[in-house]
Amino acid sequence: MTMPYPDQAKNKEEKSNTRPHPGRHGELIFTVANPVWVSVSEAAKLGGIQTKTVRRAIEANQLNFKTKNNRYLIELGSVFKFLATREKLQKKFLDKGLAQYLKL
């Protein structure tokens, strides 16, 4: 779960999913008002990786997740951020995951 930055609006009505704030390495991170949650198997299929890789990332707290009825639900944006952490994962994402359908 991400902590709000001091410059973010305290009012729910003022929050926007397009309001940028600086990230760790200077990139812009957007606060998403209504994140998309996916299962472990869906995250694996979207990323072109195995479910055990997703579960390892959950155990290492590398993904934003919540549990519902003893099942993990993973925030989709954190899956993409995780896939960008290592060159091997990026290649799998490009070759076998959702990115194979995009022209990059």
Side-chain angles (χ1 to χ4, degrees):
M1 191 144 225
T2 58
M3 299 298 294
Y5 283 83
D7 64 337
Q8 289 180 326
K10 297 196 192 302
N11 244 337
K12 221 176 188 182
E13 294 139 8
E14 293 177 29
K15 288 186 180 178
S16 169
N17 63 345
T18 58
R19 185 170 183 195
H21 54 83
R24 286 187 295 212
H25 301 290
E27 77 275 12
L28 293 177
I29 299 173
F30 294 88
T31 303
V32 179
N34 298 310
V36 175
W37 298 92
V38 295
S39 68
V40 170
S41 59
E42 290 170 332
K45 286 178 189 175
L46 290 170
I49 56 178
Q50 295 184 1
T51 56
K52 65 182 180 180
T53 304
V54 176
R55 291 185 185 280
R56 282 188 202 128
I58 289 171
E59 290 174 11
N61 284 326
Q62 295 176 321
L63 294 171
N64 293 337
F65 68 93
K66 64 182 179 180
T67 55
K68 185 175 182 180
N69 297 329
N70 293 327
R71 303 229 181 239
Y72 289 115
L73 292 176
I74 305 157
E75 196 258 316
L76 185 59
S78 72
V79 173
F80 295 135
K81 288 177 191 172
F82 170 69
L83 294 170
T85 59
R86 289 187 223 123
E87 191 174 326
K88 184 177 180 180
L89 294 175
Q90 287 176 355
K91 183 166 174 35
K92 287 185 177 188
F93 179 57
L94 292 171
D95 294 343
K96 299 177 184 176
L98 186 63
Q100 68 181 317
Y101 302 105
L102 303 174
K103 191 174 186 176
L104 299 175

